Amino acid sequence: DWGAIAGDAPGAFWMSGGREIPGARNASPPGRARRFDAAGIGLARTGYDAGAEIVILRAGPTRFRNDVARGHLHADALSVLWRIGSDDILIDPGTYLYSEGDGWRAWMRGTASHSCVVVDGRDQADVRTHRFGILGERTSRWLSFEADATQMAAAAEHPAEGMPHVRRRVAWSAP
């Protein structure tokens, strides 16, 4: 599937070490939905063509190597991303920059810069103490996830100690 989606994109060529990408000449796979528990996301997409629609809900623990994950986590539990073709409707702003830059790095990793529920203006975790780390990560958990290439119904909660208990439901239906 990856080769069919990547095609002959320059980035795909680089990621394959300059070798031909297996499956690059195959037809793109149909739309689908899946929950990736190790990555802490669930997604549904209508396909892989230029006008495809995709929706992603961030929930559950991220089970990558601790030293790697801590430096890349954001305070974004239960955030929603939504894209139609090349148009971002709900976004994840990324990190923006790796130097502190007048607080921009911490702000971009914080809860308010994501499509998350913010209570009392507080971040879900401490993103300011360490430039490459997060303190007090509070894992969210899935309550339900049912989806296919045309619809998604999902629910998750963020039962953070010392923070308000937040529950989020996402319902999406393709046009």
Side-chain angles (χ1 to χ4, degrees):
D1 286 357
W2 184 82
I5 297 162
D8 61 357
F13 180 76
W14 173 80
M15 289 176 66
S16 70
R19 295 181 301 277
E20 182 175 346
I21 299 147
R25 292 180 177 78
N26 296 351
S28 291
R32 61 179 59 173
R34 186 163 175 202
R35 198 169 97 183
F36 294 92
D37 289 331
I41 63 170
L43 67 87
R45 65 182 314 136
T46 58
Y48 295 88
D49 56 273
E53 191 166 337
I54 182 170
V55 64
I56 300 171
L57 174 61
R58 167 93 170 81
T62 302
R63 294 186 200 103
F64 295 115
R65 283 184 21 208
N66 226 12
D67 58 331
V68 174
R70 292 278 179 242
H72 294 275
L73 288 176
H74 293 195
D76 64 347
L78 309 184
S79 64
V80 178
L81 288 79
W82 181 24
R83 174 173 248 205
I84 301 173
S86 62
D87 297 324
D88 290 317
I89 310 302
L90 296 174
I91 67 164
D92 180 328
T95 299
Y96 181 65
L97 72 157
Y98 286 97
S99 61
E100 202 43 46
D102 297 324
W104 278 108
R105 177 174 167 74
W107 189 86
M108 296 298 264
R109 294 172 51 216
T111 306
S113 68
H114 294 80
S115 59
C116 294
V117 175
V118 177
V119 179
D120 296 333
R122 294 171 58 193
D123 282 321
Q124 296 169 349
D126 179 1
V127 295
R128 298 180 184 282
T129 301
H130 299 290
R131 181 178 295 163
F132 292 100
I134 187 170
L135 296 176
E137 176 195 3
R138 294 158 180 101
T139 301
S140 56
R141 69 183 185 98
W142 290 101
L143 298 173
S144 64
F145 181 83
E146 295 180 35
D148 60 30
T150 62
Q151 59 189 352
M152 179 171 85
E157 66 181 355
H158 188 249
E161 187 177 318
M163 299 279 289
H165 185 107
V166 176
R167 182 172 285 171
R168 188 167 215 181
R169 289 181 178 88
V170 173
W172 167 80
S173 184

